Amino acid sequence: MRTQVGIVGAGPAGLLLSHLLHLRGIDSVVLELRDRDYCERRVRAGVLEQGTVDVLTAAGVGDRMRREGLPHHGIELRYGGAAHRIAFEELVPGRSITVYGQQEVVKDLIAARLAAGGKILFDVPDVKPHDLTGSPYLTFGGETLECDVIAGCDGFHGVTRAAVPPGELTTFERDYPFAWLGVLARVRPSAEELIYARTPRGFALHSMRSPEISRFYLQVPKDEREDAWPDERIWSELAARLETVPGFRLETGPVIEKSITPMRSFVTEPMRYGNLYLAGDAAHIVPPTGAKGLNLAVADVTVLTDALAQWYETGSSAGLDAYSATCLRRVWRAQHFSWWMTNLLHTFADEDPYGERLQTAYLDYVTSSTAAATTLAENYVGMVW
């Protein structure tokens, strides 16, 4: 087989890249290890920045998002027995977030690509990139896909970054001493907006996916196991961490899914090696506290699409040469914001009273200062670049 851009990974990054390239007249083939059902059902992120919403809308894949997504114009910080709203509409007028599950974005993109005749190969075994500094190609299951460039959109554990020779990439990492227990429940949300709760028992997040489905997260020990959390314990702990302000009561219902997510920060530099371009989780990971992972992937492939279109249309490699530096500027801003939110809201096992007082002092500053609240708001809805 032959195509212009060989894309590894049928997550949001790979699928959106394929669709954006199609809109610019550039051919691509997407190779995915998992089956279609797995890709469309895997529950991950759900907060879309304003820029992500704009990209999906402009690409013609935002109709269902606009019908079913939940626009939010603020979030709540809950600590010390009080609730404090960060009002996006006042602090960053005209910009907001939309709650719409990553799996729904994937469904929309798969449908759009197939309707346009796009080629997505699911259940593809043994994908391997070759000749990254020459004439690249991908092998899989006895087949060969020749291409001009390869886009590595296959996540943190994927094969593309691992194909780069040792010493060619520099990595920056930080692991956190706790994890998140993610819970999806068939119950109507107990609040209209996201609640970030800091308590002596640990962090909790109240979110949602629809008017009937709620999403929750609990800070748990790093080595925690899912089977240590039966439904009764989940609801009891959520209530203990969220029912800390007068009048708030947590709605409960059947737990649909639960999983443990490690908390880590990771960046690889550069995001390019020869004719391989890394995007999304293949190049960087952020702790989910700042809701940046999916949004960074969308930003990466938007930059890569423009660079590839420039190259194919004019022969100029300026955009491709600048791809890594352009993306990393946004990546490191998101890394800092995610690190900041994580340290601000979580309980650390070895934290002394001094550190706890510092967290409280900064939360007081964020919730009382317009300047500090604006910094949080503009980072949360997505910086304009």
PDB file of all heavy atoms in Angstrom, residues 93-124:
ATOM      1  N   PRO A  93     -14.280  36.574  28.984  1.00  0.00           N
ATOM      2  CA  PRO A  93     -15.530  36.663  28.230  1.00  0.00           C
ATOM      3  C   PRO A  93     -15.433  36.004  26.856  1.00  0.00           C
ATOM      4  O   PRO A  93     -14.430  36.121  26.150  1.00  0.00           O
ATOM      5  CB  PRO A  93     -15.744  38.183  28.091  1.00  0.00           C
ATOM      6  CG  PRO A  93     -15.007  38.773  29.245  1.00  0.00           C
ATOM      7  CD  PRO A  93     -13.806  37.896  29.432  1.00  0.00           C
ATOM      8  N   GLY A  94     -16.507  35.288  26.503  1.00  0.00           N
ATOM      9  CA  GLY A  94     -16.579  34.655  25.196  1.00  0.00           C
ATOM     10  C   GLY A  94     -15.894  33.314  25.098  1.00  0.00           C
ATOM     11  O   GLY A  94     -15.905  32.688  24.038  1.00  0.00           O
ATOM     12  N   ARG A  95     -15.305  32.829  26.192  1.00  0.00           N
ATOM     13  CA  ARG A  95     -14.600  31.547  26.182  1.00  0.00           C
ATOM     14  C   ARG A  95     -15.119  30.675  27.315  1.00  0.00           C
ATOM     15  O   ARG A  95     -15.393  31.154  28.414  1.00  0.00           O
ATOM     16  CB  ARG A  95     -13.096  31.756  26.311  1.00  0.00           C
ATOM     17  CG  ARG A  95     -12.510  32.526  25.131  1.00  0.00           C
ATOM     18  CD  ARG A  95     -11.146  33.092  25.445  1.00  0.00           C
ATOM     19  NE  ARG A  95     -10.174  32.045  25.727  1.00  0.00           N
ATOM     20  CZ  ARG A  95      -9.032  32.260  26.358  1.00  0.00           C
ATOM     21  NH1 ARG A  95      -8.752  33.476  26.814  1.00  0.00           N
ATOM     22  NH2 ARG A  95      -8.187  31.268  26.541  1.00  0.00           N
ATOM     23  N   SER A  96     -15.262  29.384  27.030  1.00  0.00           N
ATOM     24  CA  SER A  96     -15.809  28.456  28.008  1.00  0.00           C
ATOM     25  C   SER A  96     -15.237  27.069  27.732  1.00  0.00           C
ATOM     26  O   SER A  96     -14.326  26.908  26.916  1.00  0.00           O
ATOM     27  CB  SER A  96     -17.341  28.438  27.931  1.00  0.00           C
ATOM     28  OG  SER A  96     -17.764  28.016  26.638  1.00  0.00           O
ATOM     29  N   ILE A  97     -15.781  26.066  28.401  1.00  0.00           N
ATOM     30  CA  ILE A  97     -15.441  24.672  28.117  1.00  0.00           C
ATOM     31  C   ILE A  97     -16.723  23.929  27.761  1.00  0.00           C
ATOM     32  O   ILE A  97     -17.823  24.396  28.031  1.00  0.00           O
ATOM     33  CB  ILE A  97     -14.761  23.984  29.330  1.00  0.00           C
ATOM     34  CG1 ILE A  97     -15.709  23.971  30.527  1.00  0.00           C
ATOM     35  CG2 ILE A  97     -13.433  24.644  29.646  1.00  0.00           C
ATOM     36  CD1 ILE A  97     -15.278  23.079  31.661  1.00  0.00           C
ATOM     37  N   THR A  98     -16.554  22.773  27.138  1.00  0.00           N
ATOM     38  CA  THR A  98     -17.689  21.900  26.853  1.00  0.00           C
ATOM     39  C   THR A  98     -17.369  20.510  27.372  1.00  0.00           C
ATOM     40  O   THR A  98     -16.297  19.971  27.081  1.00  0.00           O
ATOM     41  CB  THR A  98     -17.971  21.831  25.340  1.00  0.00           C
ATOM     42  OG1 THR A  98     -18.362  23.134  24.881  1.00  0.00           O
ATOM     43  CG2 THR A  98     -19.098  20.844  25.039  1.00  0.00           C
ATOM     44  N   VAL A  99     -18.270  19.946  28.157  1.00  0.00           N
ATOM     45  CA  VAL A  99     -18.103  18.589  28.656  1.00  0.00           C
ATOM     46  C   VAL A  99     -18.704  17.628  27.636  1.00  0.00           C
ATOM     47  O   VAL A  99     -19.911  17.655  27.366  1.00  0.00           O
ATOM     48  CB  VAL A  99     -18.783  18.414  30.033  1.00  0.00           C
ATOM     49  CG1 VAL A  99     -18.712  16.958  30.478  1.00  0.00           C
ATOM     50  CG2 VAL A  99     -18.132  19.325  31.066  1.00  0.00           C
ATOM     51  N   TYR A 100     -17.838  16.815  27.046  1.00  0.00           N
ATOM     52  CA  TYR A 100     -18.232  15.879  25.980  1.00  0.00           C
ATOM     53  C   TYR A 100     -17.175  14.798  25.950  1.00  0.00           C
ATOM     54  O   TYR A 100     -16.004  15.069  25.706  1.00  0.00           O
ATOM     55  CB  TYR A 100     -18.301  16.624  24.647  1.00  0.00           C
ATOM     56  CG  TYR A 100     -18.886  15.837  23.496  1.00  0.00           C
ATOM     57  CD1 TYR A 100     -20.211  15.423  23.498  1.00  0.00           C
ATOM     58  CD2 TYR A 100     -18.113  15.526  22.388  1.00  0.00           C
ATOM     59  CE1 TYR A 100     -20.765  14.727  22.421  1.00  0.00           C
ATOM     60  CE2 TYR A 100     -18.649  14.843  21.301  1.00  0.00           C
ATOM     61  CZ  TYR A 100     -19.968  14.446  21.324  1.00  0.00           C
ATOM     62  OH  TYR A 100     -20.512  13.755  20.252  1.00  0.00           O
ATOM     63  N   GLY A 101     -17.553  13.568  26.217  1.00  0.00           N
ATOM     64  CA  GLY A 101     -16.607  12.486  26.415  1.00  0.00           C
ATOM     65  C   GLY A 101     -15.687  12.234  25.242  1.00  0.00           C
ATOM     66  O   GLY A 101     -16.095  12.332  24.078  1.00  0.00           O
ATOM     67  N   GLN A 102     -14.439  11.874  25.553  1.00  0.00           N
ATOM     68  CA  GLN A 102     -13.474  11.575  24.498  1.00  0.00           C
ATOM     69  C   GLN A 102     -13.972  10.462  23.591  1.00  0.00           C
ATOM     70  O   GLN A 102     -13.757  10.501  22.376  1.00  0.00           O
ATOM     71  CB  GLN A 102     -12.138  11.172  25.114  1.00  0.00           C
ATOM     72  CG  GLN A 102     -11.105  10.705  24.095  1.00  0.00           C
ATOM     73  CD  GLN A 102      -9.744  10.478  24.697  1.00  0.00           C
ATOM     74  OE1 GLN A 102      -9.225  11.343  25.404  1.00  0.00           O
ATOM     75  NE2 GLN A 102      -9.152   9.329  24.438  1.00  0.00           N
ATOM     76  N   GLN A 103     -14.649   9.454  24.165  1.00  0.00           N
ATOM     77  CA  GLN A 103     -15.147   8.359  23.333  1.00  0.00           C
ATOM     78  C   GLN A 103     -16.201   8.847  22.346  1.00  0.00           C
ATOM     79  O   GLN A 103     -16.357   8.289  21.251  1.00  0.00           O
ATOM     80  CB  GLN A 103     -15.701   7.217  24.200  1.00  0.00           C
ATOM     81  CG  GLN A 103     -17.020   7.485  24.873  1.00  0.00           C
ATOM     82  CD  GLN A 103     -16.862   8.208  26.209  1.00  0.00           C
ATOM     83  OE1 GLN A 103     -15.838   8.817  26.475  1.00  0.00           O
ATOM     84  NE2 GLN A 103     -17.880   8.133  27.041  1.00  0.00           N
ATOM     85  N   GLU A 104     -16.918   9.913  22.697  1.00  0.00           N
ATOM     86  CA  GLU A 104     -17.902  10.481  21.775  1.00  0.00           C
ATOM     87  C   GLU A 104     -17.194  11.209  20.629  1.00  0.00           C
ATOM     88  O   GLU A 104     -17.632  11.148  19.474  1.00  0.00           O
ATOM     89  CB  GLU A 104     -18.850  11.427  22.514  1.00  0.00           C
ATOM     90  CG  GLU A 104     -19.552  10.800  23.714  1.00  0.00           C
ATOM     91  CD  GLU A 104     -20.308   9.524  23.358  1.00  0.00           C
ATOM     92  OE1 GLU A 104     -20.867   9.444  22.239  1.00  0.00           O
ATOM     93  OE2 GLU A 104     -20.334   8.597  24.185  1.00  0.00           O
ATOM     94  N   VAL A 105     -16.100  11.905  20.952  1.00  0.00           N
ATOM     95  CA  VAL A 105     -15.291  12.543  19.903  1.00  0.00           C
ATOM     96  C   VAL A 105     -14.766  11.489  18.946  1.00  0.00           C
ATOM     97  O   VAL A 105     -14.797  11.659  17.716  1.00  0.00           O
ATOM     98  CB  VAL A 105     -14.127  13.338  20.536  1.00  0.00           C
ATOM     99  CG1 VAL A 105     -13.209  13.895  19.443  1.00  0.00           C
ATOM    100  CG2 VAL A 105     -14.655  14.473  21.411  1.00  0.00           C
ATOM    101  N   VAL A 106     -14.289  10.370  19.496  1.00  0.00           N
ATOM    102  CA  VAL A 106     -13.770   9.279  18.657  1.00  0.00           C
ATOM    103  C   VAL A 106     -14.866   8.722  17.760  1.00  0.00           C
ATOM    104  O   VAL A 106     -14.649   8.491  16.555  1.00  0.00           O
ATOM    105  CB  VAL A 106     -13.168   8.167  19.543  1.00  0.00           C
ATOM    106  CG1 VAL A 106     -12.908   6.901  18.733  1.00  0.00           C
ATOM    107  CG2 VAL A 106     -11.869   8.653  20.184  1.00  0.00           C
ATOM    108  N   LYS A 107     -16.057   8.498  18.291  1.00  0.00           N
ATOM    109  CA  LYS A 107     -17.176   8.004  17.475  1.00  0.00           C
ATOM    110  C   LYS A 107     -17.467   8.960  16.321  1.00  0.00           C
ATOM    111  O   LYS A 107     -17.673   8.537  15.170  1.00  0.00           O
ATOM    112  CB  LYS A 107     -18.434   7.847  18.329  1.00  0.00           C
ATOM    113  CG  LYS A 107     -18.389   6.729  19.344  1.00  0.00           C
ATOM    114  CD  LYS A 107     -19.639   6.757  20.202  1.00  0.00           C
ATOM    115  CE  LYS A 107     -19.553   5.776  21.358  1.00  0.00           C
ATOM    116  NZ  LYS A 107     -20.732   5.902  22.261  1.00  0.00           N
ATOM    117  N   ASP A 108     -17.508  10.254  16.619  1.00  0.00           N
ATOM    118  CA  ASP A 108     -17.799  11.247  15.579  1.00  0.00           C
ATOM    119  C   ASP A 108     -16.728  11.242  14.497  1.00  0.00           C
ATOM    120  O   ASP A 108     -17.039  11.343  13.297  1.00  0.00           O
ATOM    121  CB  ASP A 108     -17.904  12.642  16.205  1.00  0.00           C
ATOM    122  CG  ASP A 108     -19.066  12.771  17.179  1.00  0.00           C
ATOM    123  OD1 ASP A 108     -20.000  11.947  17.116  1.00  0.00           O
ATOM    124  OD2 ASP A 108     -19.029  13.691  18.023  1.00  0.00           O
ATOM    125  N   LEU A 109     -15.469  11.129  14.909  1.00  0.00           N
ATOM    126  CA  LEU A 109     -14.374  11.160  13.938  1.00  0.00           C
ATOM    127  C   LEU A 109     -14.344   9.894  13.084  1.00  0.00           C
ATOM    128  O   LEU A 109     -14.107   9.963  11.873  1.00  0.00           O
ATOM    129  CB  LEU A 109     -13.043  11.350  14.661  1.00  0.00           C
ATOM    130  CG  LEU A 109     -12.789  12.749  15.233  1.00  0.00           C
ATOM    131  CD1 LEU A 109     -11.621  12.745  16.194  1.00  0.00           C
ATOM    132  CD2 LEU A 109     -12.548  13.751  14.099  1.00  0.00           C
ATOM    133  N   ILE A 110     -14.574   8.731  13.695  1.00  0.00           N
ATOM    134  CA  ILE A 110     -14.612   7.494  12.917  1.00  0.00           C
ATOM    135  C   ILE A 110     -15.729   7.551  11.885  1.00  0.00           C
ATOM    136  O   ILE A 110     -15.538   7.208  10.708  1.00  0.00           O
ATOM    137  CB  ILE A 110     -14.779   6.275  13.836  1.00  0.00           C
ATOM    138  CG1 ILE A 110     -13.489   6.030  14.632  1.00  0.00           C
ATOM    139  CG2 ILE A 110     -15.129   5.025  13.029  1.00  0.00           C
ATOM    140  CD1 ILE A 110     -13.580   4.913  15.655  1.00  0.00           C
ATOM    141  N   ALA A 111     -16.896   8.007  12.306  1.00  0.00           N
ATOM    142  CA  ALA A 111     -18.026   8.109  11.380  1.00  0.00           C
ATOM    143  C   ALA A 111     -17.709   9.056  10.222  1.00  0.00           C
ATOM    144  O   ALA A 111     -18.019   8.766   9.062  1.00  0.00           O
ATOM    145  CB  ALA A 111     -19.270   8.581  12.130  1.00  0.00           C
ATOM    146  N   ALA A 112     -17.073  10.183  10.538  1.00  0.00           N
ATOM    147  CA  ALA A 112     -16.741  11.161   9.497  1.00  0.00           C
ATOM    148  C   ALA A 112     -15.707  10.611   8.526  1.00  0.00           C
ATOM    149  O   ALA A 112     -15.823  10.798   7.302  1.00  0.00           O
ATOM    150  CB  ALA A 112     -16.234  12.455  10.139  1.00  0.00           C
ATOM    151  N   ARG A 113     -14.684   9.920   9.060  1.00  0.00           N
ATOM    152  CA  ARG A 113     -13.652   9.386   8.176  1.00  0.00           C
ATOM    153  C   ARG A 113     -14.214   8.305   7.255  1.00  0.00           C
ATOM    154  O   ARG A 113     -13.916   8.258   6.061  1.00  0.00           O
ATOM    155  CB  ARG A 113     -12.498   8.788   9.002  1.00  0.00           C
ATOM    156  CG  ARG A 113     -11.671   9.796   9.767  1.00  0.00           C
ATOM    157  CD  ARG A 113     -11.124  10.920   8.893  1.00  0.00           C
ATOM    158  NE  ARG A 113     -10.337  10.416   7.792  1.00  0.00           N
ATOM    159  CZ  ARG A 113     -10.592  10.704   6.515  1.00  0.00           C
ATOM    160  NH1 ARG A 113     -11.643  11.442   6.144  1.00  0.00           N
ATOM    161  NH2 ARG A 113      -9.819  10.243   5.559  1.00  0.00           N
ATOM    162  N   LEU A 114     -15.026   7.406   7.797  1.00  0.00           N
ATOM    163  CA  LEU A 114     -15.585   6.335   6.980  1.00  0.00           C
ATOM    164  C   LEU A 114     -16.567   6.877   5.953  1.00  0.00           C
ATOM    165  O   LEU A 114     -16.612   6.395   4.813  1.00  0.00           O
ATOM    166  CB  LEU A 114     -16.260   5.288   7.876  1.00  0.00           C
ATOM    167  CG  LEU A 114     -15.326   4.543   8.841  1.00  0.00           C
ATOM    168  CD1 LEU A 114     -16.111   3.542   9.677  1.00  0.00           C
ATOM    169  CD2 LEU A 114     -14.195   3.851   8.088  1.00  0.00           C
ATOM    170  N   ALA A 115     -17.343   7.894   6.331  1.00  0.00           N
ATOM    171  CA  ALA A 115     -18.287   8.491   5.388  1.00  0.00           C
ATOM    172  C   ALA A 115     -17.564   9.163   4.231  1.00  0.00           C
ATOM    173  O   ALA A 115     -18.090   9.230   3.111  1.00  0.00           O
ATOM    174  CB  ALA A 115     -19.173   9.505   6.111  1.00  0.00           C
ATOM    175  N   ALA A 116     -16.344   9.641   4.493  1.00  0.00           N
ATOM    176  CA  ALA A 116     -15.556  10.309   3.453  1.00  0.00           C
ATOM    177  C   ALA A 116     -14.655   9.339   2.695  1.00  0.00           C
ATOM    178  O   ALA A 116     -13.829   9.761   1.889  1.00  0.00           O
ATOM    179  CB  ALA A 116     -14.714  11.418   4.081  1.00  0.00           C
ATOM    180  N   GLY A 117     -14.795   8.037   2.969  1.00  0.00           N
ATOM    181  CA  GLY A 117     -13.963   7.053   2.289  1.00  0.00           C
ATOM    182  C   GLY A 117     -12.589   6.896   2.881  1.00  0.00           C
ATOM    183  O   GLY A 117     -11.696   6.317   2.251  1.00  0.00           O
ATOM    184  N   GLY A 118     -12.383   7.394   4.100  1.00  0.00           N
ATOM    185  CA  GLY A 118     -11.085   7.280   4.745  1.00  0.00           C
ATOM    186  C   GLY A 118     -10.750   5.847   5.104  1.00  0.00           C
ATOM    187  O   GLY A 118     -11.634   5.005   5.296  1.00  0.00           O
ATOM    188  N   LYS A 119      -9.469   5.550   5.200  1.00  0.00           N
ATOM    189  CA  LYS A 119      -9.015   4.196   5.473  1.00  0.00           C
ATOM    190  C   LYS A 119      -8.513   4.095   6.902  1.00  0.00           C
ATOM    191  O   LYS A 119      -7.478   4.673   7.259  1.00  0.00           O
ATOM    192  CB  LYS A 119      -7.926   3.777   4.491  1.00  0.00           C
ATOM    193  CG  LYS A 119      -7.696   2.265   4.460  1.00  0.00           C
ATOM    194  CD  LYS A 119      -7.060   1.831   3.149  1.00  0.00           C
ATOM    195  CE  LYS A 119      -7.088   0.310   3.019  1.00  0.00           C
ATOM    196  NZ  LYS A 119      -6.532  -0.148   1.727  1.00  0.00           N
ATOM    197  N   ILE A 120      -9.267   3.359   7.730  1.00  0.00           N
ATOM    198  CA  ILE A 120      -8.877   3.068   9.109  1.00  0.00           C
ATOM    199  C   ILE A 120      -8.802   1.557   9.233  1.00  0.00           C
ATOM    200  O   ILE A 120      -9.799   0.861   9.022  1.00  0.00           O
ATOM    201  CB  ILE A 120      -9.892   3.620  10.127  1.00  0.00           C
ATOM    202  CG1 ILE A 120     -10.213   5.094   9.875  1.00  0.00           C
ATOM    203  CG2 ILE A 120      -9.367   3.426  11.549  1.00  0.00           C
ATOM    204  CD1 ILE A 120     -11.351   5.626  10.722  1.00  0.00           C
ATOM    205  N   LEU A 121      -7.648   1.048   9.559  1.00  0.00           N
ATOM    206  CA  LEU A 121      -7.466  -0.392   9.719  1.00  0.00           C
ATOM    207  C   LEU A 121      -7.396  -0.714  11.205  1.00  0.00           C
ATOM    208  O   LEU A 121      -6.438  -0.334  11.890  1.00  0.00           O
ATOM    209  CB  LEU A 121      -6.198  -0.856   9.011  1.00  0.00           C
ATOM    210  CG  LEU A 121      -6.094  -0.535   7.510  1.00  0.00           C
ATOM    211  CD1 LEU A 121      -4.818  -1.113   6.927  1.00  0.00           C
ATOM    212  CD2 LEU A 121      -7.314  -1.052   6.751  1.00  0.00           C
ATOM    213  N   PHE A 122      -8.439  -1.379  11.728  1.00  0.00           N
ATOM    214  CA  PHE A 122      -8.477  -1.785  13.127  1.00  0.00           C
ATOM    215  C   PHE A 122      -7.900  -3.185  13.282  1.00  0.00           C
ATOM    216  O   PHE A 122      -7.727  -3.922  12.303  1.00  0.00           O
ATOM    217  CB  PHE A 122      -9.922  -1.764  13.642  1.00  0.00           C
ATOM    218  CG  PHE A 122     -10.539  -0.395  13.687  1.00  0.00           C
ATOM    219  CD1 PHE A 122     -11.414   0.023  12.698  1.00  0.00           C
ATOM    220  CD2 PHE A 122     -10.242   0.485  14.721  1.00  0.00           C
ATOM    221  CE1 PHE A 122     -11.997   1.277  12.733  1.00  0.00           C
ATOM    222  CE2 PHE A 122     -10.818   1.751  14.774  1.00  0.00           C
ATOM    223  CZ  PHE A 122     -11.701   2.151  13.772  1.00  0.00           C
ATOM    224  N   ASP A 123      -7.631  -3.559  14.532  1.00  0.00           N
ATOM    225  CA  ASP A 123      -7.109  -4.901  14.836  1.00  0.00           C
ATOM    226  C   ASP A 123      -5.845  -5.217  14.049  1.00  0.00           C
ATOM    227  O   ASP A 123      -5.660  -6.340  13.561  1.00  0.00           O
ATOM    228  CB  ASP A 123      -8.164  -5.962  14.537  1.00  0.00           C
ATOM    229  CG  ASP A 123      -9.045  -6.250  15.734  1.00  0.00           C
ATOM    230  OD1 ASP A 123      -8.537  -6.179  16.868  1.00  0.00           O
ATOM    231  OD2 ASP A 123     -10.229  -6.530  15.537  1.00  0.00           O
ATOM    232  N   VAL A 124      -4.975  -4.233  13.889  1.00  0.00           N
ATOM    233  CA  VAL A 124      -3.747  -4.409  13.109  1.00  0.00           C
ATOM    234  C   VAL A 124      -2.625  -4.880  14.031  1.00  0.00           C
ATOM    235  O   VAL A 124      -2.275  -4.185  14.987  1.00  0.00           O
ATOM    236  CB  VAL A 124      -3.356  -3.091  12.416  1.00  0.00           C
ATOM    237  CG1 VAL A 124      -1.990  -3.220  11.781  1.00  0.00           C
ATOM    238  CG2 VAL A 124      -4.396  -2.700  11.378  1.00  0.00           C
TER     239      VAL A 124
END
